[in-house]
Amino acid sequence: MPEQSLAVIGDVHGCAELLETLLTRIEAQDHDAQLVFVGDMVDRGPGSQAVLARIRSLSRAVALRGNHEQMMLGFLDEPETIGASWLDYGGAQTLDSFGITRHVADTQTRDALRNAMPAGLEDWLRSLPCWWRSGNVAVVHAGADPRSQITHQNPRDLIWGHPAFGRFPRRDGLWVVHGHTVVPKPRQSDGVISVDTGAWQGGGLSAALISTQGVEFLTIGR
C-alpha cells in the first residue's frame, strides 16, 4: 500500500475541461490525496497550455514525463530533426493552444513557441521525473521492465514502454500504475494499474484512487 492516499491521473492530452471536472471530483472524495500525473499532459486535445498551467498551479501535485513531453522537448532542442513527427502526433494542437498557427518544423516555429511559453515552463518540463514511488506503488508513464528494480530502469522504457511489461509479474511486490496505452476502462490486474482511457478521443479522463482501502476508479467525460 502507498504511504499516503494517492490520486493517479491518466493521460490528459490537452483536455483542460475534463481535468478541471476530475480534480473537483477527487477533491470531494479525498481532499488529502497526493495527486500524481502519469505524463502526456500535452498534445492531441485543444487545451495543452491550460492543462500545463493548471497542473503547475497545484501545490501538491507530482507530474511525470510522458513520451509527448519528451517529443515536445525534442522539438525545442532539434525542431528540424524530429519536429515533423511531433507535429503529426499532436504537437500542432499544442502550438494552437499557445496561439501559434504556423505549423512548420523549423527554428522559426520553435522560437515562437519558446517566446509564447510562460517563464519557467521549459525548465519545469525538463525537470519532470520518469517515475515516482510511495510504499509499494510506483507510477510511471508507459511501463517498466518487470525484471529490474524501479530505481534501475532505463528512462526510455519508462517513457515509451518495455515489451515485457504486463506480460510477466514482478517479484518484488511492487504495483505499477501507468498510462500511455489506452484501455476501454481503468483496470488493475497482476500488479498493474492502467489509467489511460483515451480522454482526447472521447474515452474519458480517469484516475485511480489508491489507499489502504484498496483501489477505486473515477472516469469523467465518457
Side-chain angles (χ1 to χ4, degrees):
M1 287 295 104
E3 296 170 356
Q4 73 233 76
S5 60
L6 307 178
V8 184
I9 298 170
D11 305 37
V12 181
H13 275 308
C15 297
E17 293 182 4
L18 290 181
L19 173 60
E20 205 59 51
T21 303
L22 183 59
L23 289 173
T24 299
R25 283 281 304 277
I26 293 170
E27 177 72 17
Q29 202 145 331
D30 186 351
H31 63 86
D32 291 324
Q34 168 69 58
L35 300 174
V36 186
F37 292 84
V38 300
D40 279 11
M41 298 167 279
V42 300
D43 299 347
R44 307 286 198 187
S48 290
Q49 181 184 29
V51 166
L52 291 173
R54 184 68 172 106
I55 293 173
R56 289 183 73 202
S57 77
L58 296 168
S59 59
R60 69 177 193 273
V62 172
L64 303 184
R65 180 183 298 203
N67 60 296
H68 282 263
E69 286 79 32
Q70 185 73 18
M71 288 191 290
M72 184 178 179
L73 290 170
F75 173 74
L76 291 170
D77 290 336
E78 301 178 76
E80 294 174 346
T81 302
I82 68 167
S85 177
W86 179 61
L87 293 174
D88 287 344
Y89 284 92
Q93 288 86 347
T94 294
L95 290 176
D96 286 339
S97 76
F98 282 92
I100 300 168
T101 57
R102 185 178 190 275
H103 299 166
V104 181
D106 61 10
T107 57
Q108 182 178 339
T109 305
R110 185 271 309 279
D111 292 345
L113 176 58
R114 269 212 174 107
N115 290 333
M117 293 169 69
L121 177 57
E122 183 175 347
D123 289 341
W124 181 80
L125 287 169
R126 293 188 185 280
S127 73
L128 296 175
C130 295
W131 63 274
W132 183 88
R133 179 175 179 175
S134 177
N136 74 330
V137 177
V139 185
V140 304
H141 175 62
D145 183 348
R147 299 161 297 186
S148 299
Q149 297 179 30
I150 199 69
T151 54
H152 296 162
Q153 298 282 326
N154 184 329
R156 179 175 176 81
D157 291 338
L158 301 176
I159 292 172
W160 292 94
H162 189 280
F165 179 64
R167 296 178 56 200
F168 305 102
R170 299 190 65 87
R171 296 183 177 180
D172 56 7
L174 192 69
W175 280 75
V176 179
V177 191
H178 74 105
H180 187 68
T181 301
V182 177
V183 292
K185 60 182 180 179
R187 65 192 184 195
Q188 60 171 320
S189 177
D190 298 325
V192 173
I193 300 175
S194 308
V195 292
D196 181 8
T197 47
W200 69 277
Q201 53 189 353
L205 179 62
S206 295
L209 304 182
I210 308 170
S211 70
T212 56
Q213 306 303 310
V215 182
E216 181 181 354
F217 295 115
L218 293 175
T219 301
I220 299 296
R222 175 171 290 146

